[in-house]
Amino acid sequence: MKKKIMGATVTHRRMIIDLKGDTFKALSVMAARQGTNLKKLIENLLDKTAEEYDDSEAYRYLSENYPDGKVKLEEKERKEFMDWLGVAEK
């Protein structure tokens, strides 16, 4: 599903996850306390985690563990990739 937000297209992915019983109960209580449902709480928690994730840490990990990805891209491919990441080059 795609949604337009202030000129940017946001793509959503659906996924089925398995939760341990205790995790399900704890998150359900958290959701009730916040006046929301479990699905929305989990989505918000994951969105916040992703926003706070340090991109440079991800790059370091990928560089160390998957060095095969160090292939020079053509200018068009590079621009498309940077646009997909949502990063502006300096």
Side-chain angles (χ1 to χ4, degrees):
M1 170 172 46
K2 290 186 178 181
K3 197 183 266 186
K4 280 251 185 199
I5 298 177
M6 295 177 69
T9 301
V10 178
T11 302
H12 296 269
R13 306 257 189 248
R14 289 197 172 267
M15 172 177 266
I16 296 174
I17 61 170
D18 295 317
L19 300 174
K20 294 186 275 182
D22 290 343
T23 302
F24 181 82
K25 287 177 191 174
L27 291 174
S28 295
V29 170
M30 289 171 63
R33 283 184 159 173
Q34 293 181 21
T36 189
N37 63 45
L38 179 59
K39 179 181 180 286
K40 194 67 179 168
L41 174 82
I42 293 171
E43 290 170 347
N44 289 338
L45 288 171
L46 293 173
D47 286 344
K48 183 178 177 185
T49 300
E51 288 170 9
E52 292 173 354
Y53 189 74
D54 183 4
D55 289 333
S56 61
E57 177 65 22
Y59 179 77
R60 183 196 61 74
Y61 172 80
L62 291 172
S63 294
E64 290 175 2
N65 295 291
Y66 300 96
D68 296 340
K70 292 183 179 179
V71 176
K72 290 273 188 184
L73 297 177
E74 292 181 17
E75 188 59 35
K76 181 182 176 196
E77 290 175 310
R78 188 169 193 277
K79 183 180 178 344
E80 288 173 356
F81 181 69
M82 297 302 266
D83 290 344
W84 177 78
L85 287 175
V87 219
E89 293 189 73
K90 293 180 181 179

